[in-house]
Amino acid sequence: MSPRVTVERDGHVLLIGVNRPEKRNAWDLRTIDEVGLAYDRLAEDSEARVGVLYGHGDHFSAGLDLADVWPSVQDDGPAALSGGGAYDPFALWKPPVPKPVVLAVQGVSFTLSIELALASDVVVGADDVRFRQLEIGRGIIPFGGATVRATTQLGWGNAMRFLLTGEEFGATEAHRIGLVQEVVPAGTQLERATAIARVIAEQAPLGVQGTLANARVAQRLENERAAADHLKELLPGILTSEDAAEGLQSFVERRQARFTGR
């Protein structure tokens, strides 16, 4: 079987590419595991100083392949997203990778794409990028970090707008609220993300990793841990609700969900 994820080191930059374009790079369990293993390589390879995560093809990712991932989430909880490696790409259920990650996004960039942007350190967006946090319309809630990070990183109102409505927004709005740091013409996002990564890789590695570690302590760890623990307690009841079952069925049947509040 061809890999779901390509991994290539270009000097001190590790390029990690999700390679399922025929499914708009939707993440199934294999993809989750392979991305996790790529993050392990980033952490362990002394020559790799910065990672670049991107999607092959016209779209970064349509989100989770729910038909494949759903049973594991119901059985194992939200940590099913963290994969089989030592480091969690969503930096929520296992330790974050200790080296910087630059994210390049384009086209359809739904659900987990936003959560990976919130977990990454610098985000470059193509001008055709389309963001959308769809979970609220499927009878569930995000469990890859959007509820944990968006309010502090983007501001309460900005976060609630896309979390509670499930509305789509593009590059201009993403840049305004700080989800992406730079917008570039479609097709150049990987080149620009790699260029930024190379500049970071030219700096002193211990200084870069120390800066990253200390900034995480200041901004994230204590509040995020409490929020993650609360999410872990909250999610099972939502996943087993009638609304969640209806949300999954409506996704499979590609129709508007009909929710009852049960």
Side-chain angles (χ1 to χ4, degrees):
M1 292 186 292
S2 61
R4 291 280 197 269
V5 176
T6 62
V7 183
E8 176 188 3
R9 186 160 60 77
D10 179 6
H12 292 305
V13 176
L14 192 70
L15 299 167
I16 304 168
V18 178
N19 191 27
R20 205 184 180 204
E22 72 282 2
K23 295 288 187 179
R24 290 189 173 184
N25 289 328
W27 287 34
D28 60 1
L29 292 174
R30 265 188 64 199
T31 306
I32 290 169
D33 280 340
E34 290 184 23
V35 172
L37 293 175
Y39 272 56
D40 280 6
R41 177 173 168 181
L42 174 61
E44 296 163 3
D45 185 346
S46 60
E47 291 299 311
R49 298 179 180 178
V50 185
V52 173
L53 180 64
Y54 68 100
H56 289 275
D58 296 332
H59 307 286
F60 177 73
S61 177
L64 286 177
D65 185 338
L66 281 178
D68 183 72
V69 176
W70 188 267
S72 293
V73 175
Q74 288 187 309
D75 290 343
D76 303 327
L81 288 190
S82 65
Y87 300 95
D88 180 4
F90 297 90
L92 198 62
W93 307 111
K94 294 176 184 176
V97 67
K99 298 176 184 177
V101 173
V102 181
L103 183 68
V105 290
Q106 80 280 3
V108 170
S109 299
F110 290 172
T111 60
L112 62 80
S113 309
I114 294 173
E115 293 172 314
L116 286 166
L118 292 167
S120 298
D121 303 297
V122 181
V123 183
V124 176
D127 58 12
D128 70 345
V129 70
R130 297 165 53 197
F131 289 112
R132 194 174 179 190
Q133 199 77 52
L134 289 161
E135 288 88 347
I136 202 75
R138 293 175 181 162
I140 58 175
I141 63 175
F143 47 88
T147 56
V148 175
R149 298 192 174 110
T151 55
T152 55
Q153 292 181 216
L154 310 178
W156 184 273
N158 293 328
M160 289 299 107
R161 173 67 185 272
F162 75 77
L163 285 172
L164 297 180
T165 66
E167 292 178 345
E168 184 177 304
F169 60 100
T172 300
E173 179 68 2
H175 188 256
R176 184 190 72 80
I177 66 178
L179 184 64
V180 303
Q181 282 66 65
E182 190 170 336
V183 177
V184 297
T188 67
Q189 68 280 346
L190 177 56
E191 178 184 0
R192 181 59 183 146
T194 303
I196 293 171
R198 288 194 181 113
V199 173
I200 297 172
E202 290 173 356
Q203 315 312 312
L206 292 180
V208 168
Q209 293 172 41
T211 298
L212 191 62
N214 192 244
R216 285 172 174 168
V217 170
Q219 183 177 0
R220 292 184 172 180
L221 295 184
E222 290 189 12
N223 289 337
E224 287 196 2
R225 185 72 271 139
D229 289 343
H230 178 258
L231 176 57
K232 198 170 185 177
E233 295 175 3
L234 182 67
L235 191 62
I238 295 175
L239 291 181
T240 56
S241 68
E242 292 180 15
D243 278 353
E246 164 63 10
L248 178 60
Q249 190 63 30
S250 68
F251 170 77
V252 172
E253 297 175 359
R254 299 188 181 279
R255 60 169 172 81
Q256 183 72 32
R258 298 179 289 271
F259 297 128
T260 63
R262 296 192 297 271

